[in-house]
Structure formats: structure tokens, C-alpha cells
Amino acid sequence: MVGELVTAGVALASAGAVYLMAAARVVKQYERGVVLRLGRLASEVRGPGFTMIVPGFDRMRKVNMQIVTMPVPAQEGITRDNVTVRVDAVVYFKVVDAADAVIEVEDYRFAVSQVAQTSLRSIIGKSDLDDLLSNREKLNQGLAVMIDSPALGWGVQIDRVEIKDVSLPETMKRSMARQAEATRDRRARVINADAELQASKKLAEAAQAMSGQPAALQLRLLQTVVAVAAEKNSTLVLPFPVELLRFLERSGLQAQAQTAQAEAAARTQAPAGGQEQDRAQIQDQAQERVPVEQQWQPPVASREAVEAVEAVEGVEVTTSGDGGVLSPELEKLPEAEDLPKDLP
């Protein structure tokens, strides 16, 4: 009898231990327990710590309340300015209502992943390429709002969404590189032009300051020579100031003016004999300008020469009225009044 009681007690204790082991549950600090009793949701969600359920009647699901980091697969789309891009992102979310996460959606992780992908494709089509590359903060906020709207009904809260990478075609990368290079060249030219403008203003001020002191220009020239000679070149280029050329030109003009004045004074003070000599030179020059045919005169021979010729050759030599000797051939020519007047 005693043995039977002992056996029954041991069996009862064993059954209680098994029941206790089946009913005991431990919920971690970052988890919440959702109990379904005979398929219906229990009134309260079990918090962290030790808890008991009715074995065979209750079923408890533990929901992680930590922030979940979920990568969004890369989505390919066309931007508003017709550029094909490939964008991937990452979503940070957490469960705020364990009961809704279990009851309202079958798998809240998969649901959030799908909503993130569709929202990412939608945000690509609504944005320009420049916004995807430079204005990501605004796009991240818009993407988080698009994902958070349906996720609130599932007991899930979207903490933040980040666009991780934007992949561009190679042709677009080369075009953007050329554009960036052109922009940098434009900025460099603007900066150089600004520097030239400032330098020109300073040079104008320096020129104005040196114009008051002529020796300053010579000192500047010597400084330039020293700077060039310091490089130990085989050829020394010495700049020649334009002001020196102008000085030489003015000196030449003054010398010419002084020479002209001296000649005029000399002519005014010349003696009368000098004036007569000048007149003679002028007449000689005028005589030189007379035509040759008007200047020619027949040669004049002496009487002794004429007699000698007649004696030797036996020819009578006639002379012109002015004493010139004419040849027999010229004597045979007709006179001017005997020629016909209709000759050309």
C-alpha cells in the first residue's frame, strides 16, 4: 500500500515537473511574447522575464523589438531626366507593437522589404539624376515616409532609410567627367581673369607712382636685369623702355629745328658778294635746264684755218654769217622757205 502511494507520488511529481517544463517560458529583454490561446490573442503581451502558459492550449510567439537593419536589393530605373540608374539602399526599422506584427501581417520583414523596393523604384522615377547624386538627404526622408505609411498598420516603425549607392552607365560617367572638367576649367579661367584684373589695378597704381619719379623706372629696369641674371642664362634679354625712344625722338626734332634756325641766320647775315654768287649759281642752273637744241651753236673757225683748208684740198669753204664754217653737204641743202609747206 505504501509502495503504491510512493509510486503514485513519484508519478504525480514527474507529471508536475513535465507540466512545469512545458508551461515555463523565458522572454528576453529585447523581446515580447504574444500568446495565442486556442487560436485567439490573449489580452496582454508577455514582457521580459519568466512567464507561464497553458501547455496544449496556449502558443506563444516571441517578437524581436530591436532595430533591424535590412539591405534593399539594387533597383534599376529611369530617372525623370531619362537616365538609367541602378540604386540600392538600406532600411532601419523596429517593431513597436508585437501583437500587430504577429496578427496583421504574415512576415513583417518580407513585407517591409517589398515595400522598400517598390518605394525605391518610385522615388527613382520621380527624381532627377542630380538629386540622386547630390540631394540624397531629401530623397531619404521622402523614401522613409513612403515606406512608413503602410508599415504603421503592421506594428512596424521605420527609423530611417539611406540610399547607399547609385550606379551609372559608363557613357554617363564619361559625360559627367567631361562636364565636371569643363566646370573646373571655367572656374579656373574666372579666377585667373579676376587675378589679372587685380594685378592690372596694382600695376596702374605702380605706374602712376613711378611717373612722378623718372629714376624709379630706371631702378625697376635694373631690378629686372638682376632678376634675369640670377637664373644664369646664356642670353640676357634687356628690355628697352619706350620712354627713352620718345626722348631720343624729341632730341632729334630739336636738333633739326636748331640746324634750320642756324641756316636761316647764316643766310640773313651773308655779304652782298655772296648774294651775287648765289644769283650766278641760280642762273647757271636755269641755263642747264634750257633745251639742248637751243643751246647749240655752230663751231667758229678762224680765217687762217679756212685758208689752210682751201689750199690743201682745193675746196672753197664757205662760212656762215656769224663766222661759222659749213660743210659742202650742208651748203647743198635747200633753204627753209623753199621746202613745201604741206610736209608732215
Side-chain angles (χ1 to χ4, degrees), residues 11-311:
L12 184 60
S14 300
V18 172
Y19 179 81
L20 183 61
M21 293 176 59
R25 294 290 187 273
V26 177
V27 180
K28 297 180 181 179
Q29 182 65 38
Y30 56 85
E31 293 177 342
R32 298 295 182 270
V34 179
V35 179
L36 298 176
R37 183 168 294 168
L38 297 176
R40 299 183 63 179
L41 180 63
S43 58
E44 61 179 283
V45 177
R46 306 296 175 87
F50 181 81
T51 184
M52 297 288 295
I53 62 173
V54 179
F57 296 95
D58 294 343
R59 183 180 177 185
M60 187 176 69
R61 288 187 57 181
K62 297 178 181 179
V63 180
N64 192 340
M65 305 297 290
Q66 292 176 318
I67 295 178
V68 180
T69 302
M70 176 180 294
V72 180
Q75 302 298 313
E76 186 173 354
I78 300 177
T79 60
R80 190 167 58 181
D81 50 355
N82 298 324
V83 178
T84 303
V85 294
R86 189 178 181 86
V87 183
D88 56 353
V90 57
V91 180
Y92 301 89
F93 67 94
K94 64 180 179 179
V95 177
V96 293
D97 192 340
D100 291 340
V102 174
I103 302 301
E104 299 296 334
V105 63
E106 180 181 3
D107 188 351
Y108 64 90
R109 291 176 178 267
F110 181 75
V112 171
S113 176
Q114 295 300 314
V115 171
Q117 294 179 28
T118 55
S119 300
L120 183 58
R121 284 195 296 267
S122 179
I123 207 72
I124 290 173
K126 294 179 181 179
S127 304
D128 295 332
L129 179 61
D130 294 337
D131 294 336
L132 289 175
L133 296 175
S134 60
N135 196 12
R136 293 189 181 183
E137 187 66 26
K138 183 178 179 180
L139 296 179
N140 293 337
Q141 295 176 2
L143 189 58
V145 171
M146 294 178 65
I147 301 174
D148 191 51
S149 298
L152 287 176
W154 306 331
V156 177
Q157 180 183 356
I158 304 299
D159 188 65
R160 62 186 304 174
V161 181
E162 295 286 345
I163 294 177
K164 187 166 59 175
D165 187 21
V166 178
S167 300
L168 299 175
E170 293 297 329
T171 56
M172 182 58 62
K173 290 182 180 179
R174 290 193 294 269
S175 299
M176 294 179 66
R178 290 195 297 268
Q179 179 183 1
E181 185 177 0
T183 302
R184 288 192 295 270
D185 291 341
R186 178 179 62 84
R187 292 179 180 176
R189 291 181 180 180
V190 170
I191 294 173
N192 289 334
D194 191 10
E196 291 292 339
L197 178 60
Q198 296 179 6
S200 63
K201 292 181 180 179
K202 295 298 182 182
L203 288 175
E205 295 177 359
Q208 185 177 3
M210 286 190 295
S211 62
Q213 298 292 334
L217 185 61
Q218 187 67 21
L219 291 176
R220 182 58 181 166
L221 177 60
L222 296 177
Q223 290 177 357
T224 304
V225 172
V226 171
V228 174
E231 298 180 0
K232 299 180 180 179
N233 294 329
S234 58
T235 303
L236 178 62
V237 179
L238 182 62
F240 197 76
V242 181
E243 287 76 6
L244 184 58
L245 293 177
R246 293 177 180 175
F247 173 75
L248 294 176
E249 183 179 1
R250 288 195 298 267
S251 300
L253 294 176
Q254 291 177 359
Q256 292 179 2
Q258 293 177 359
T259 303
Q261 292 177 0
E263 291 179 355
R267 290 176 182 177
T268 304
Q269 298 177 0
Q275 293 181 358
E276 293 177 357
Q277 186 177 1
D278 293 341
R279 291 194 188 97
Q281 292 179 357
I282 294 173
Q283 290 178 0
D284 294 342
Q285 293 177 358
Q287 186 67 26
E288 291 177 358
R289 289 195 296 268
V290 176
V292 177
E293 60 273 10
Q294 296 181 5
Q295 297 181 8
W296 183 85
Q297 295 180 358
V300 178
S302 63
R303 184 63 185 173
E304 291 79 5
V306 172
E307 293 177 355
V309 171
E310 290 179 352

